[in-house]
């Protein structure tokens, strides 16, 4: 799941992006309303975190523009404004939730999960073989037992589970793992795939990740499944 952060404070934006990335989300951050419009025009986001005090205009005005442009993803306003009328105006402008600064990261992530869960048009649980993946709580179980994976491994597995039996290229995996400002070598994908294959095998997952040289990777049931 990809999240867009619209926050004029680069340090806060980077901190939020880092925290959400550690929870397994793909995160992009921009620092102005115009950049948010451009980002949403080219990338399908599942959630937008929006500050109201932006350097090039009022955040609520940009929220209305995003909705008029067709943004359907839930929007969570993050702002220091705690007046009741500000909250009402934000919700009327098209926001789905409103969180005032300062806030605890645990509460932010809980609200993120709730919004993603409510907005999902499909089952939030992915199942394949003995694997069950809760995409909101970022938890994987194999035969009912929780499997410990890193955030990157979770993201790779989620991408493969969305396309069981189909080839997923290294480029697709890199795009799901890193934002537009980060660079990653294709060799890092091989490391994640290797670790993921080992952990799934050790857990008796009854699935395998086939390596198709020059093409990518394919999640498939093991012969003994």
């Amino acid at each position: 799941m990809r999240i867009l952060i619209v926050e004029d404070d680069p340090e806060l934006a980077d901190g939020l992006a880092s925290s959400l990335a550690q929870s397994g989300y793909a995160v992009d951050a921009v620092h102005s309303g115009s950049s948010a419009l451009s980002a949403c025009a080219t990338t399908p986001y599942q959630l937008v975190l929006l500050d109201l005090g932006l350097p090039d205009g009022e955040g609520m005005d940009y929220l209305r523009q995003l909705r008029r442009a067709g943004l359907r993803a839930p929007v969570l306003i993050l702002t220091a404004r705690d007046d009741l009328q500000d909250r009402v105006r934000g919700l009327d402008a098209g926001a789905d939730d409103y969180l005032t600064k300062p806030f605890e990261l645990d509460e932010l992530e809980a609200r993120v999960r709730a919004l993603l869960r409510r907005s999902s048009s499909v089952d939030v649980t992915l199942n394949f073989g003995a694997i069950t993946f809760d995409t909101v709580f970022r938890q994987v179980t194999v035969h009912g037992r929780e499997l410990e994976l890193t955030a990157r491994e979770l993201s790779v597995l989620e991408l493969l589970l969305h396309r069981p039996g189909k080839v997923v290229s290294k480029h697709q995996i890199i795009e799901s793992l890193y934002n537009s400002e980060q660079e990653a070598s294709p060799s890092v994908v091989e490391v994640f795939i290797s670790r993921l294959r080992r952990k799934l095998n050790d857990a008796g997952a009854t699935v395998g990740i086939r390596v198709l040289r020059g093409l990518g990777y394919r999640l498939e049931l093991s012969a003994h499944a």
Side-chain angles (χ1 to χ4, degrees):
M1 294 188 178
R2 185 168 289 274
I3 296 174
L4 176 66
I5 297 173
V6 188
E7 167 60 56
D8 70 328
D9 183 339
E11 185 174 349
L12 176 57
D14 289 345
L16 292 176
S18 177
S19 177
L20 290 169
Q22 289 177 16
S23 296
Y25 301 105
V27 185
D28 294 327
V30 296
H31 309 302
S32 67
S34 58
S35 296
L37 291 174
S38 298
C40 289
T42 57
T43 303
Y45 291 101
Q46 282 70 54
L47 177 67
V48 176
L49 306 183
L50 176 66
D51 183 27
L52 294 183
L54 299 173
D56 58 346
E58 170 59 43
M60 289 189 195
D61 292 336
Y62 280 110
L63 174 54
R64 295 186 184 93
Q65 291 183 56
L66 287 168
R67 290 305 190 201
R68 287 197 296 269
L71 178 70
R72 295 181 177 274
V75 174
L76 171 57
I77 288 178
L78 303 177
T79 179
R81 305 177 192 175
D82 59 358
D83 184 76
L84 173 61
Q85 289 306 311
D86 284 321
R87 293 197 295 273
V88 170
R89 284 194 293 270
L91 296 171
D92 285 344
D96 298 88
D97 200 357
Y98 194 106
L99 184 60
T100 56
K101 303 174 183 176
F103 51 81
E104 297 293 333
L105 284 173
D106 286 346
E107 181 180 4
L108 171 65
E109 295 206 19
R111 289 176 183 250
V112 165
R113 290 192 297 269
L115 288 171
L116 291 173
R117 189 164 57 246
R118 292 202 300 266
S119 67
S120 178
S121 60
V122 296
D123 195 337
V124 298
T125 302
L126 301 174
N127 297 282
F128 189 69
I131 299 174
T132 298
F133 189 157
D134 186 316
T135 60
V136 173
F137 285 92
R138 316 301 295 165
Q139 293 177 341
V140 176
T141 58
V142 176
H143 296 297
R145 297 187 298 273
E146 187 170 353
L147 182 64
E148 291 189 9
L149 300 175
T150 67
R152 299 297 193 197
E153 291 163 356
L154 281 168
S155 295
V156 173
L157 180 58
E158 181 178 16
L159 188 61
L160 293 170
L161 285 169
H162 274 294
R163 299 169 175 82
K166 298 181 180 179
V167 177
V168 178
S169 69
K170 284 186 178 180
H171 178 69
Q172 288 174 306
I173 293 175
I174 289 174
E175 279 197 331
S176 74
L177 293 178
Y178 300 96
N179 63 40
S180 57
E181 297 180 355
Q182 295 173 312
E183 294 184 5
S185 167
S187 61
V188 76
V189 174
E190 299 172 11
V191 174
F192 294 138
I193 290 291
S194 177
R195 292 175 180 170
L196 187 55
R197 293 173 78 188
R198 175 177 55 79
K199 290 183 178 181
L200 291 174
N201 183 65
D202 290 346
T206 69
V207 301
I209 302 175
R210 182 181 292 275
V211 180
L212 302 170
R213 192 171 299 278
L215 296 176
Y217 307 93
R218 185 171 65 208
L219 189 68
E220 54 189 41
L221 292 173
S222 301
H224 58 278

